[in-house]
Amino acid sequence: MIQNWYDPFTAGELWRRIFSFLNLGVLFITLAFGASEFRFDWCERLVGTYLLTTNDTRPETGAVWESGRQTSNAHKSLNQIITRREDTRRSAQSAESFSHLAGSLRPGEWVPLDKDLFKVLYLSLSASAGRKVIDPSHLVWLLNGKTTDRIFCEGQADGVKLYFIDSQNRVIHQIDLKKNAIVEIESGNAPLKVQLKEIEAFAGRIFPAEKFFDAVLKLPTEMISELMVDPDLLLKQNGTIQQVGIWNEAENGYIKLGFEFEYRGENQVLLIQAREWAVWQLSLLLKAEPQ
Amino acid sequence: MTFFLRAISLVRLFFFLGLVIVSLGILSGIFLIFYLAGDLPKLPSPLSRIIETPQSLIYASTGQVIMGLGERKAVPLEMVSKDFINAIVATEDHLFFEHHGMNKLRTLKGLYITLFDPDKVQGASTITQQLAKNLFFSFEQSWRRKFKEMLVALQIEAANTKEEILNAYINQIHFGAGAQGIENASQTFFGKPALELDLAEASLLAGLPKSPTNYNPFRHYDRALKRRDIVLERMAVAGFISHPEAQKISATRPQLHKGRMDSRSGSYFLDALIKELIQIYGEDVVFHGGIRVYSTLDTRLQSFARDALTQGLDQLDTLMGLDPGEKDRPQGALVAIDTGSGAIKAMVGGRDYYASEFNRAMDSRRQAGSGFKPFVYYTAFQKKGVHPGTRMTDKPVLIKIPGAKDWEPQNFEKRFNGNMILKNAFAQSVNTIAAQLVGMTGPEAVTAMARACGVKSPLEDVYSVALGTSAVSPLDMAGAFSVFANLGVKHDPFLFWRVEDAFGRVLFERIVQNKNVLESGVTFQVLDMMKEVVDTGSGRSIRSLGFGRPAAGKTGTTDNYNDAWFTGFTPSLCVSVWTGFDKKKRLKDTNGIGITGGRGAAPIWAEFMINAMKGEPERDFAIPDNIRFEAVDPVTGCAPKSTGPSIVVPLKTNQAPCGREEK
């Protein structure tokens, strides 16, 4: 049997080697390490604590952060919608005319409109222009009756729609105002820089002012007030009336009368609405007299 | 001695070798920690931030919340039943209060399996690890993901108390049926706060997170109870309850909250609603914006609709001789619309949402059969001056179609009845007369009319449109028939009234606008004929089933009995019902006879309407001023003989029977 040089020579030396300080130390440390870990979880604590120190430098990734980002995006989107709507609402509420109102709404945008504001806008028009928007007696019922709960405005590419809705959100009356129509309604009182003879619709029905007013004054008093719905428009106009024309077509019970004014050498025509039946009576008188 | 020495040497060798391996393992672990630490997700602080996502709420028209989107109704631990806390801890991680984020023995076992059986990644997740996974990681199974999850779990443990962790966990786990968090789950399944859950209910809920879909008690009640028994057993083993107590509770069957079940069955409706909201506002706003959506759904009607459809389809199974376990069973759909506004009050898109989420009420397009005839008759009445009293002849018809084969329509009964007035032709659903009418008007006018009524499905301008060969959805039909109920006034169907943000600021508000699309007098004439269908025609089963209110409608059956329809209305509610197989397959009874709309769909309609209209005042359809009624001979359309049969037809002021039109 071969004896290796590093083999122990005696049993005592063998035991000494087995239970050497190094062996026991390593064994003890290993066992202490393992047992303490199982008992106190210090590895987990150590790693956890270390990771806590790096927390702020790490990326915000994962479902919970994604969810946070989505929430943030959602709030941004909602705020944009609300802000835009509030801006539109403010702009609409500060409107001084229907054209301003139409201009404040982009297609598809809608805002509620105060009934009082609608009244203000409506009353800013002359009676005849207002009638083109809605008949005043109908409006009285819509605004002063119990039917209308709110008014909604919806922007259109070519104007604005106004919805009178009841408490069930049902549309009880709708007004479609095209931009062109609004301009016409609002500027309807401005005189046209033309002569009556240049407007084809008056052809054959143009009368000298004296003759026209002679005939008018022959009408019964109550009929005169019905004839010209907005005489104040005529009073406001500068210049002298030269001729008066009667439009060739009635519209909703009204016929346009054209008054040609001469002011500082320039001729202008002011169009006003007159009751159809009163104009018809007037026409009989005008035709009866030689031109 | 030598052997002993060698043994000692070997032990020493293995010990030091093991030590080296463990040391290397530790070093690798440390390396991995440093390597992966920078890539780990940041942990929110405090942890409660994870449950601060605002929920979007969907309300029924009746006011109750029917769904929360992204909903996490967080409650503190003190507001949760102790039984639930014990149950979830016993089931998911019974050493939760003892470990520090990981269960070392289970982790070592998992590691061993992962190393030596790579195909099988062993889970050993503690509650903290599950929380880490739910908050930050995908469900991808890999050692890298597991290791990261473990590291985050350790950080969560280092930064929070056990109570905080448990609180976060129970408030964010999914229980199925759209319920996230214990409070929602408790409300969804039992209609009570989490604090009031008893042991039977708590243990049932604690079993759900393992597989919320498979254990969904609304759908798999018995499966959920079996899972609950496992939970109870673990509670007993963990010492939270005694074994006899576990057995006692195991014998109970907790009552599920039926109200929530009803609203859940509106999932077809909710799916459609959410889809539309996403189209308008985007997913982020819908799921994370905390918006409030006021839907048109009437939970009472929805419940009736679900019951009527389920019951009707079961009866259809019986009629067809199908076993309850049969996989290939007919489907159905029902849509109910408020005729006065267009609001969709109820919608069921199939017999079981959980078996098939395909919404047949909106997304399925099927041939309407004779259900399309009202559009044909209206067009002919309006364009060709015919009326319900006009006489026509039921005879073989051949319509020449330029560039195509001549069309020779057949009647359902394969026989011809000779002369008859149009009112009878409509009530008896005579195909040859409908074909003659479309021959008079041209198919383009008919499809244009259907489109004017709101049919959105693509329609083909072909002569066979008279017999409903164009495919439409039940929603199309209900929306379009509402126009008849309203005497020509159209309201577009819609799913919600109003949308607000979390602060009550209005994002959208529906206004109901009347659009006059049909002439009221002509519409009434068609409506009157549709009343005849219900009273004496192909839909008379409605009367025999006990629905006695004024109603009008039209059955529809396709040639090969693939589809059976009934769309009908009262003055206030319009309902379309479709039944048929998803695949093209005949509906036939045990005698091999095809099932018509009158047999397959009308009973469902009647069952729904009987319940839906309960308590509503009975009213008849309005009659336009330009309509008068005259009795005519049903064959000739002229004045009836004193002893002969007569039928009353509505005529407009300029119309007269027997071809004597008034000018």
Side-chain angles (χ1 to χ4, degrees), chain A residues 1 14 26 30 37 41 44 50-51 55 58-59 61-65 70 74 85 150 163 169-171 174, chain B residues 2 5 19 34 37-38 40-43 104 135-136 151 154-155 284 288-289 340 507 509-513:
Chain A
M1 185 178 162
L14 173 69
V26 170
T30 306
E37 160 55 22
D41 298 329
E44 288 97 312
Y50 164 71
L51 290 174
N55 193 51
R58 297 205 310 256
T61 56
V64 69
W65 290 112
Q70 285 166 326
R85 181 142 301 160
R150 288 170 297 165
Y163 301 104
N169 270 21
R170 289 174 192 281
V171 177
Q174 179 181 330
Chain B
T2 306
L5 278 176
L19 208 60
F34 281 106
L40 287 178
K42 184 177 175 179
L43 202 69
K104 282 183 280 283
L135 294 184
F136 302 108
L151 293 179
L154 298 183
Q155 186 184 343
D284 287 349
H288 303 275
L507 302 174
E509 192 164 9
R510 177 87 50 189
I511 57 174
V512 179
Q513 220 175 334

Side-chain angles (χ1 to χ4, degrees), chain B residues 367 369 410 412 414 431 467 469 557-562 586:
Chain B
Q367 291 187 359
Q410 291 292 321
F412 231 76
K414 311 286 183 208
N431 288 345
L467 309 185
T469 52
T557 313
T558 46
D559 267 353
N560 37 23
Y561 297 97
N562 283 350
R586 282 184 74 185

Side-chain angles (χ1 to χ4, degrees), chain A residues 183-194:
Chain A
V183 171
E184 193 188 321
I185 288 167
E186 290 179 344
S187 64
N189 303 332
L192 307 170
K193 292 187 176 172
V194 290

Side-chain angles (χ1 to χ4, degrees), chain B residues 605-616:
Chain B
W605 189 94
E607 174 66 21
F608 171 72
M609 288 300 265
I610 287 168
N611 291 314
M613 299 307 289
K614 255 180 209 162
E616 297 287 322

Side-chain angles (χ1 to χ4, degrees), chain B residues 29-82:
Chain B
I30 291 169
F31 170 77
L32 266 179
I33 291 168
F34 281 106
Y35 175 68
L36 293 175
D39 194 28
L40 287 178
K42 184 177 175 179
L43 202 69
S45 180
L47 199 56
S48 58
R49 271 186 61 187
I50 64 169
I51 43 183
E52 285 171 2
T53 306
Q55 54 183 317
S56 292
L57 294 175
I58 298 176
Y59 293 84
S61 62
T62 35
Q64 68 269 41
V65 175
I66 50 173
M67 191 183 220
L69 295 170
E71 185 179 19
R72 292 178 198 170
K73 197 184 264 180
V75 283
L77 277 184
E78 306 83 63
M79 297 301 288
V80 178
S81 152
K82 190 77 184 160

Side-chain angles (χ1 to χ4, degrees), chain B residues 111-123:
Chain B
L111 186 66
Y112 174 82
I113 291 173
T114 306
L115 287 174
F116 295 103
D117 190 358
D119 293 338
K120 189 176 166 191
V121 179
Q122 174 72 17

